[in-house]
Amino acid sequence: MKSVFLLFDSLTLQALECYGGTCVKTPNFNRLAERGITFDNHFVGSLPCIPARRDFHTGRLNFMHRGWGPLEPFDNSWVNMCEEQKNMHTHIITDHDHYFEQGGMGYCHQFSTFEYIRGQECDHWKAIVDDRTEKWQKKFHPKHYPTGADDQYGHPQDAQWIVDIMRKNRRSHMSNCEYMEQEQDYCTPRCFATAMDFLNDNYNSKKDWLLWLECFDPHEPFHVPDRFLPDDDDGRALNWPFYNKTWEDDDEKKKICYSYYGLVAMVDTYLGKMLDFFDANNMWDDICVVMTTDHGFLLGEHDWWAKMRQPYYQEIAHIPLIICHPKYKHQAGTRRSALTQTPDIMPTMLDLLGIDIPTEVQGKSLVPVLENDTKIHDSVMLGAFGGSIGITDGHHMYYCFPVPVDSEKSEDYQLHQYTTLPIHMKRYYADVEFDSMQIHGTFDFTKNIPVLKFMGDHVPQITLLQEDKDGSRLYDLDNDPKQRTPIFDHGDNTTEHSKAIVYRLRQNITDILRRHDAPQEIYTIYGLSAG
């Protein structure tokens, strides 16, 4: 069996017609849904990008133990298991630049071979030394891009260190854009062109293979060729919103959203070329295709642009999943309501390939769900290191926030990171972080390898989007899918019925934490019982 894993970054479920989206035409995602089985209650696990990919590889939630970071030496990657146990050739094609930062080590090296398409986001790719301020002022909107030293740049509430980092990153993007004048120069067309080269070379191979095609689009910046934008677009790029409250005027907000939906349309167009190849070469009887994303994105909903907004609203947490497999072609075009999430992908792929699932895996194989709409989870838990913990039973979503601590935090309330590889997103741990280092010992998933324990207060994402201090709350997703009014928030609207739901979901959080051998302080920080 040959396999293609399609991973798009920040692909919101609401953007796809096969999930009821109306803002952009996505005929090729529709084609994929007609070929496969569409999951209607699929959710994220660990957030954001790289933590989600560790879930994909290992079949476990990881956000309770550390934040953004590499694969650990004790992690079992299903990709590597395919090569070692089934002699499959595994190949990744990606333009996801975070893999090639310090905090993305180890992921691409699980594959037999890999190809990196340069130029996305803040990839420090093309060197432009001379001043191009005058040219860039005509191409990029000053609200999102710095083109002069005195520009009013960034969100008014952003700290200066955030602005300084974004200024550097966006200069890299503007430099890269100088080399993307034609549509075929953009990253998504180049990713798919490279994938088509792989398919042309290998589609009729007698040996099984896995192609992992991962496109950074439609992640921000929403850099898209003109043909996917409205005719009245003014030409200056306003397409990289800050993870903060919306502050643009109504026309500017529309322009940002049009750019996002333009990227979705471009992804859909190039997906169609791959589906055409499968059709023309009669591949559907010998290929498994899985399509999903790592998380969604707030496109102004709840007055935010963000993916790490607290709490993780449905626009972030509820994501698409479509699976096509020749064994289940009689189920083509059907849908599933079973509750599923990102860590389920790893055991599903192993199950489909006949590989034993490692004992530490906590995700559930979706193979039973492919045949029948079988319940495999009572609830699924999601979150980010240091942020709120979300849990859903498919009908309710509860967010458990850290317990407020009035006095200086005691050791019991101190968040820690547990790792053998002390690396953040773009740098090694700083000297001050090593001052807190201890030898922790092992967890039940570390294969007797001891890990280091560091205080977690130096991790930027803990406080970056924590403006919402309202605390834990419960939403009724059946009657309030847009999550406008909580039915439990310690206010007057709380009923005995909603209290009972919260009690049950908090018990479920505790059970899932225990199965993942979560650190003891997690229970204390979130006011949960570890008993």
Side-chain angles (χ1 to χ4, degrees), residues 347-390:
T348 300
M349 298 304 294
L350 292 181
D351 200 358
L352 288 170
L353 294 166
I355 301 173
D356 290 340
I357 299 169
T359 56
E360 79 276 4
V361 171
Q362 295 298 318
K364 302 294 185 182
S365 171
L366 303 182
V367 168
V369 189
L370 294 175
E371 187 61 55
N372 298 293
D373 203 356
T374 302
K375 181 179 180 179
I376 59 171
H377 294 290
D378 291 324
S379 58
V380 295
M381 187 177 81
L382 53 101
F385 181 75
S388 60
I389 295 176

Side-chain angles (χ1 to χ4, degrees), residues 16-250:
L16 302 179
E17 287 183 303
C18 57
Y19 279 97
T22 59
C23 293
V24 59
K25 297 294 184 184
T26 53
N28 295 301
F29 282 106
N30 294 347
R31 286 172 64 188
L32 194 64
E34 290 163 4
R35 280 276 185 185
I37 300 167
T38 301
F39 289 74
D40 286 324
N41 276 304
H42 190 62
F43 285 82
V44 301
S46 302
L47 294 165
C49 302
I50 289 296
R53 281 153 181 80
R54 190 172 172 209
D55 283 7
F56 277 123
H57 278 263
T58 65
R60 295 178 53 89
L61 297 169
N62 65 84
F63 71 86
M64 305 86 68
H65 296 90
R66 70 162 301 161
W68 189 294
L71 279 178
E72 298 279 357
F74 45 77
D75 284 339
N76 280 317
S77 165
W78 70 270
V79 173
N80 182 260
M81 294 173 70
C82 287
E83 181 176 13
E84 289 191 345
Q85 299 188 33
K86 286 293 184 178
N87 194 32
M88 291 179 66
H89 189 99
T90 60
H91 185 62
I92 183 172
I93 298 166
T94 184
D95 60 346
H96 192 108
D97 64 306
H98 295 318
Y99 281 137
F100 299 91
E101 296 166 336
Q102 287 161 304
M105 294 192 320
Y107 292 89
C108 287
H109 291 89
Q110 301 302 314
F111 295 82
S112 310
T113 48
F114 65 85
E115 295 184 74
Y116 177 29
I117 308 300
R118 299 294 303 269
Q120 273 287 16
E121 199 197 32
C122 52
D123 179 15
H124 303 308
W125 177 39
K126 292 296 186 180
I128 294 180
V129 179
D130 293 336
D131 183 12
R132 300 199 179 181
T133 298
E134 185 176 349
K135 180 179 181 180
W136 285 348
Q137 284 176 336
K138 296 176 182 178
K139 294 179 63 176
F140 299 94
H141 198 292
K143 277 193 175 180
H144 285 184
Y145 291 91
T147 52
D150 298 326
D151 283 349
Q152 286 295 110
Y153 171 65
H155 190 283
Q157 296 178 2
D158 282 332
Q160 186 59 46
W161 68 270
I162 297 176
V163 172
D164 291 342
I165 291 173
M166 291 189 295
R167 183 182 289 274
K168 177 183 178 182
N169 289 344
R170 294 181 191 218
R171 178 179 173 84
S172 291
H173 175 64
M174 289 186 288
S175 298
N176 295 340
C177 287
E178 294 283 284
Y179 298 85
M180 299 181 191
E181 295 184 353
Q182 304 299 318
E183 184 173 321
Q184 63 267 26
D185 301 331
Y186 283 66
C187 290
T188 286
R190 289 159 59 205
C191 281
F192 273 93
T194 307
M196 299 308 293
D197 289 341
F198 175 90
L199 291 172
N200 274 300
D201 289 342
N202 300 291
Y203 80 93
N204 60 355
S205 170
K206 292 181 173 59
K207 181 177 178 178
D208 290 340
W209 46 253
L210 163 70
L211 170 62
W212 181 309
L213 174 60
E214 180 172 342
C215 294
F216 198 60
D217 291 333
H219 190 289
E220 74 284 350
F222 309 138
H223 179 224
V224 62
D226 289 343
R227 78 174 174 110
F228 296 104
L229 294 171
D231 292 337
D232 61 352
D233 185 82
D234 70 5
R236 285 200 304 171
L238 186 71
N239 58 16
W240 200 343
F242 306 104
Y243 296 163
N244 216 316
K245 289 281 190 181
T246 58
W247 64 298
E248 299 84 356
D249 64 36
D250 288 344

